Amino acid sequence: MSRELGCAEARDILRLATHELNDDQRAHLEHCARCREAHEANRSLTELGRELEWDEPDPERVEQLRTRLLARVPQTAAPAPARSSRRGAFMLAAALAASVALWFFWRAGTPALHAVHVTLHPGTGAVFEDSGAHADRVVHLKDGSLLTVVEKLEPGQRMRVVTEDAEVEVRGTSFDVTAEHDRLTRVWVLHGIVEVRVRGRAPIRLGQGERWSLEAETAANAGVAATASVAAKNADAPALASPGPAGVSSGAAGAARTSAGASPPATAIAATPAPHASEATGPAAPANSDDPAEAAFRKGWSALKAGDSAAAARAFAAAGSDKGSSVQEDASFWQAVALSRSEQKSAAIAAFRKFLTDYPSSPRRGEASALLGQLLLQSGETAAARERFLDAQKDPRPEVKRAGEVGAAESQSTKR
């Protein structure tokens, strides 16, 4: 038996104009002319809307909107403001963002997935917003550095750190991202693979040990890399090594030529605002084109970027076997990285240890210690891992130091 509804209770009728009404709603419309007129007007508008022509939205624009909404959905409810109108506006905005995000999931037919598990280690003064435990997790980094550790993702899961002008997406890894005034400035990958997508530029894939820096890319694109390298040499600092894409750092200092792919020495870091401002725009001619060590190094770098880590390890080993070669130190570091990427864990541990023994003053020492610490921790050697993480904390770069601090705490927790 239908019960009599008041107009306030019947407001849902206006939102159900195109759906089947229940008995109570139909009964109310029979004797309430005002609600009946509103209902019919709403139905007419709905029918007219269906007849309107529309263009399929640009997929890239849809993805940008979806990411922005996910980044702005609050993880937890904020304390109730003093005025109810502000509270209502906040709740409405949150509900709208969540509804639109869910609509995109429905349109794509995305099945229900478990939430992405992420551990965030912010640097001092870091400002960021975390969308929280979702299958598509977005962290909006506005200022400072954020070391992010992501567990292996399931198919369909996503994890991104975004700024106003870029995003960094991962596939189960740990990496450090730095932003200034909502602009991406640096990325360093400790483990796994990330893709850096800066608005208006081609995406860049970074693997373990690799870096990207906005200032390095800007300097390279402006054609000032050669000048910066000369300045570094005049400051009695060794030049860089290994060719690579603009803005990407991939090696240790110690070569007698300039190319993009290596991190500058500690002296260069201290003398410049950004660590990688002196990298070249791409493959540069080697100092000696007939040098077999340099040829092997280039072969290793090409194989590493192509994803053939095993071949890269063999090429870097050949390049590093030439005693006194300008690329020997770089080759030693990247051989260890390549072995780690090819899942040759024991060989990678041995290679990193050899690098640290052979080059105790290398500017890559802190990074090598952090990477080795992770391998040792995965192998159950917690005491040795902690020793390496403590060594990484001595590095002058805040992201390397923080990686050492996080690793040391994890090794201590595992030991207990």
Side-chain angles (χ1 to χ4, degrees):
M1 180 178 179
S2 298
R3 66 185 182 88
E4 185 176 347
L5 296 178
C7 290
E9 293 180 275
R11 287 174 183 170
D12 284 343
I13 295 173
L14 301 180
R15 295 193 291 271
L16 298 171
T18 59
H19 296 76
E20 187 69 25
L21 302 180
N22 61 39
D23 293 339
D24 293 338
Q25 292 168 331
R26 282 194 296 270
H28 179 82
L29 289 181
E30 288 178 2
H31 65 79
C32 181
R34 182 179 180 182
C35 287
R36 185 168 59 251
E37 290 176 3
H39 173 65
E40 290 302 327
N42 196 41
R43 183 190 294 276
S44 298
L45 288 174
T46 300
E47 295 300 327
L48 287 173
R50 288 175 174 174
E51 297 176 6
L52 294 175
E53 296 182 0
W54 71 291
D55 296 325
E56 186 74 25
D58 177 64
E60 183 177 351
R61 175 58 181 161
V62 170
E63 177 63 18
Q64 290 176 355
L65 176 60
R66 179 174 174 274
T67 299
R68 287 175 180 270
L69 288 171
L70 286 171
R72 284 163 174 74
V73 174
Q75 183 175 4
T76 56
R83 300 177 63 179
S84 60
S85 60
R86 292 180 60 190
R87 179 178 182 276
F90 171 81
M91 295 301 293
L92 178 60
L96 177 61
S99 298
V100 175
L102 288 173
W103 181 83
F104 281 118
F105 275 119
W106 174 77
R107 283 288 299 248
T110 303
L113 294 170
H114 297 297
V116 176
H117 183 71
V118 177
T119 305
L120 303 175
H121 302 279
T124 303
V127 180
F128 64 96
E129 295 175 354
D130 182 7
S131 68
H134 304 292
D136 187 353
R137 189 162 181 173
V138 177
V139 176
H140 184 184
L141 178 62
K142 298 180 179 180
D143 269 299
S145 296
L146 188 66
L147 178 61
T148 306
V149 181
V150 187
E151 289 189 0
K152 187 175 181 180
L153 303 181
E154 300 174 2
Q157 288 183 324
R158 300 180 72 184
M159 167 60 201
R160 287 167 289 169
V161 175
V162 305
T163 59
E164 186 64 30
D165 68 329
E167 66 178 24
V168 182
E169 183 162 2
V170 307
R171 294 303 302 172
T173 186
S174 55
F175 63 106
D176 188 83
V177 179
T178 302
E180 294 179 8
H181 306 298
D182 219 351
R183 296 186 65 203
L184 185 69
T185 57
R186 289 193 300 275
V187 180
W188 173 42
V189 181
L190 285 78
H191 178 69
I193 297 174
V194 306
E195 184 170 273
V196 180
R197 295 189 287 267
V198 181
R199 189 178 304 157
R201 310 182 189 188
I204 298 174
R205 289 177 69 85
L206 301 179
Q208 179 186 16
E210 290 182 298
R211 295 170 176 268
W212 174 90
S213 117
L214 174 64
E215 186 161 349
E217 182 173 291
T218 302
N221 291 338
V224 300
T227 302
S229 178
V230 171
K233 292 178 68 176
N234 290 340
D236 198 25
L240 310 179
S242 108
V248 177
S249 167
S250 61
R257 58 183 172 78
T258 301
S259 57
S263 175
T267 51
I269 292 173
T272 57
H276 313 293
S278 58
E279 295 159 359
T281 59
N288 179 4
S289 59
D290 297 326
D291 186 340
E294 292 190 355
F297 189 94
R298 289 177 177 275
K299 181 179 179 181
W301 180 243
S302 297
L304 195 65
K305 298 311 292 180
D308 192 347
S309 301
R314 292 192 294 271
F316 286 132
S321 65
D322 187 351
K323 304 299 181 183
S325 168
S326 62
V327 298
Q328 187 179 12
E329 182 179 332
D330 279 313
S332 178
F333 177 83
W334 286 103
Q335 179 193 3
V337 171
L339 287 168
S340 178
R341 290 197 201 177
S342 60
E343 301 299 327
Q344 301 181 60
K345 189 175 297 183
S346 297
I349 290 174
F352 272 122
R353 280 174 166 160
K354 185 176 187 303
F355 171 79
L356 291 169
T357 299
D358 292 346
Y359 306 101
S361 301
S362 171
R364 280 288 199 187
R365 179 185 177 93
E367 293 177 69
S369 287
L371 297 175
L372 175 56
Q374 287 198 346
L375 290 172
L376 293 170
L377 195 60
Q378 293 168 13
S379 300
E381 300 182 46
T382 55
R386 179 173 173 77
E387 182 180 347
R388 297 278 35 103
F389 287 133
L390 291 175
D391 186 58
Q393 292 180 35
K394 301 174 185 177
D395 195 281
R397 287 163 291 191
E399 65 270 23
V400 179
K401 182 177 181 180
R402 189 165 59 258
E405 293 171 347
V406 171
E410 186 177 357
S411 63
Q412 187 66 23
S413 175
T414 303
K415 184 178 179 181
R416 292 176 182 173

